[in-house]
Amino acid sequence: MVRDVRFVTKVEAQKRPLTRWENLMAHLNRRDLGLFVLRAGTGAVLAAHGTQKLLGWFGGGGVEGTAAAMEHMGFTPGRESAVAAGLGEAGGGVLLALGLATPAAGAAAAGAMAGAVAVHAPAGFFAQSGGYEYPAFLGFAAAAIGLAGPGRYSLDHAMGHHFDQPWTVALAFTGCALAAAGVLSKRSKAQAPAESADEAPV
C-alpha cells in the first residue's frame, strides 16, 4: 500500500530509513523551487522577445526593424530606444533565468515592460483586443522576482548574494523607475502636437 508522505509522523520517520521520495522532499525547498520555475519561465519569455528586437530571431525585426517601429510608436531616437528595450528584455530575461544580479534584472525587465504597457494602454486591458494585459503580467512577474530574490537555486545564492543586496534592490528599482518615467514623459510630449493636430477642426 502506498503511503502519503504528508501523514508520516516524526516518530515513524525516526524508526525507519526515509524512502527516496521522502528524502528528496526533505532536501528540496518548495519556495525556492517555485522561484526557480518562475524565474526560468519568465526569463525565457523575456529573453525571446529581446532577441527578436536585437538579433531578429523568432521572426523579429532586429535592431533596424524595431527602430522603425519605435519611431512610429513615439520613442525617439528609434535605434537607441530599440537597443535599450532589447537589452532590458534579453539581458534582464537571461539574468532572471540564471538568478544573477536578480534585483537589477527584475528592475530592467519591468522598466522595459512599462514602455510596452504604455504603447498598448489605448487598446484597453485584455490582450485579445491589443491591450496591455501581457506586458503588464511580465512586468509584474519580473518586478516580483527582483524584489523577492532569486531563491536557493540561483547563481546569486551560489555566489553569496554579492549582487543581491538590499541596497542593490533600492538602487535598481529607483533607477529603472526614473528612467522609465523619463522615457514615457518624453514620448508623451512628442505625441502631444500630433494628437492636437488630429483633433483640430478642418
Side-chain angles (χ1 to χ4, degrees):
M1 184 176 87
V2 178
R3 302 192 62 189
D4 192 324
V5 176
R6 293 172 298 177
F7 298 109
V8 176
T9 66
K10 290 183 180 179
V11 174
E12 290 176 307
Q14 290 171 354
K15 289 180 179 178
R16 59 170 177 74
L18 293 175
T19 66
R20 184 176 298 175
W21 173 249
E22 291 166 357
N23 194 45
L24 174 65
M25 293 308 293
H27 288 86
L28 281 178
N29 183 300
R30 288 173 57 193
R31 176 184 173 275
D32 291 324
L33 189 59
L35 279 170
F36 169 75
V37 172
L38 182 61
R39 276 189 7 248
T42 304
V45 172
L46 285 164
H49 280 282
T51 55
Q52 285 182 312
K53 293 177 174 64
L54 293 175
L55 304 172
W57 292 0
F58 310 114
V63 173
E64 297 306 322
T66 305
M70 285 287 190
E71 291 273 1
H72 179 72
M73 291 183 285
F75 293 100
T76 55
R79 184 178 181 82
E80 287 78 355
S81 299
V83 171
L87 288 175
E89 293 176 9
V94 169
L95 291 175
L96 279 178
L98 295 173
L100 179 62
T102 306
M113 290 301 100
V117 166
V119 170
H120 291 274
F125 176 73
F126 290 104
Q128 67 187 34
S129 59
Y132 61 91
E133 174 186 10
Y134 182 57
F137 176 77
L138 285 176
F140 278 122
I145 296 167
L147 292 170
R152 185 185 306 174
Y153 311 118
S154 64
L155 289 181
D156 273 335
H157 180 77
M159 297 171 65
H161 293 276
H162 291 300
F163 304 109
D164 179 31
Q165 301 289 330
W167 68 267
T168 59
V169 174
L171 182 63
F173 277 89
T174 300
C176 284
L178 291 174
V183 168
L184 294 178
S185 175
K186 181 181 177 182
R187 174 179 182 260
S188 179
K189 290 177 182 177
Q191 287 184 319
E195 291 175 355
S196 299
D198 290 341
E199 293 173 0
V202 177

